[in-house]
Amino acid sequence: MIQSKIEIIKRNKIEDHRGWFLKVITGTENNLSNTIGEFYVTVANPNQSKGGHYHPIAKEWFTLLKGSCILELIDIDTKEYFSLELNENNPQTIFVPNNLAHNFKNNADSEFILLAYSDILYDPADTIIYPF
């Protein structure tokens, strides 16, 4: 079951008159490796998707910073499908293990900004396109 493979970590967004602050990876999460991987930001325009692939090796953590989207997940072995809505007003970090295809569909009228962390450095051989 996909829900037993992912981890949804509630985050605390601290806001004041200056703006906001959000810890995305604290170093205490389950499944972190002993070495640093890489952080990256991806942006999707309205009605566009990002992702549409899986990784045989890499594990990733995703936090939506701005906007909203539907995260779609497919277990590549069982073909089970699961989705959940992410939005900036309910900050969460979603852990996605290897071999779980993922796709982020922008479901809003403005762009979304997504921060991601991969436990290994990017390797094109570890990104397998998967149709959604």
Side-chain angles (χ1 to χ4, degrees):
M1 212 161 153
I2 289 179
Q3 290 95 319
S4 66
K5 293 181 179 185
I6 67 172
E7 184 177 0
I8 301 171
I9 306 163
K10 177 74 177 138
R11 296 299 186 196
N12 184 29
K13 189 176 189 179
I14 300 168
E15 298 183 74
D16 64 22
H17 69 280
R18 300 169 295 169
W20 56 269
F21 173 84
L22 178 68
K23 287 186 179 181
V24 176
I25 298 290
T26 65
T28 61
E29 290 77 12
N30 296 322
N31 301 298
L32 286 175
S33 64
N34 293 330
T35 59
I36 188 106
E38 60 184 18
F39 288 91
Y40 59 93
V41 173
T42 188
V43 175
N45 292 324
N47 302 310
Q48 299 299 310
S49 294
K50 299 300 279 279
H53 61 257
Y54 70 93
H55 306 285
I57 300 170
K59 295 175 271 187
E60 294 179 295
W61 288 257
F62 298 103
T63 306
L64 188 74
L65 300 177
K66 181 180 179 194
S68 68
C69 69
I70 304 297
L71 169 57
E72 300 179 289
L73 300 164
I74 298 176
D75 185 312
I76 65 162
D77 295 322
T78 67
K79 308 301 184 231
E80 179 189 358
Y81 176 88
F82 178 74
S83 68
L84 66 150
E85 184 169 2
L86 305 176
N87 69 70
E88 66 185 89
N89 298 319
N90 182 25
Q92 300 172 330
T93 299
I94 310 300
F95 166 70
V96 176
N98 57 322
N99 291 318
L100 205 59
H102 45 279
N103 190 56
F104 297 86
K105 288 170 115 173
N106 188 332
N107 62 343
D109 294 332
S110 60
E111 69 183 14
F112 76 59
I113 300 174
L114 182 77
L115 177 64
Y117 172 71
S118 173
D119 68 337
I120 64 171
L121 298 179
Y122 176 71
D123 177 356
D126 187 47
T127 301
I128 312 299
I129 301 299
Y130 196 90
F132 277 83

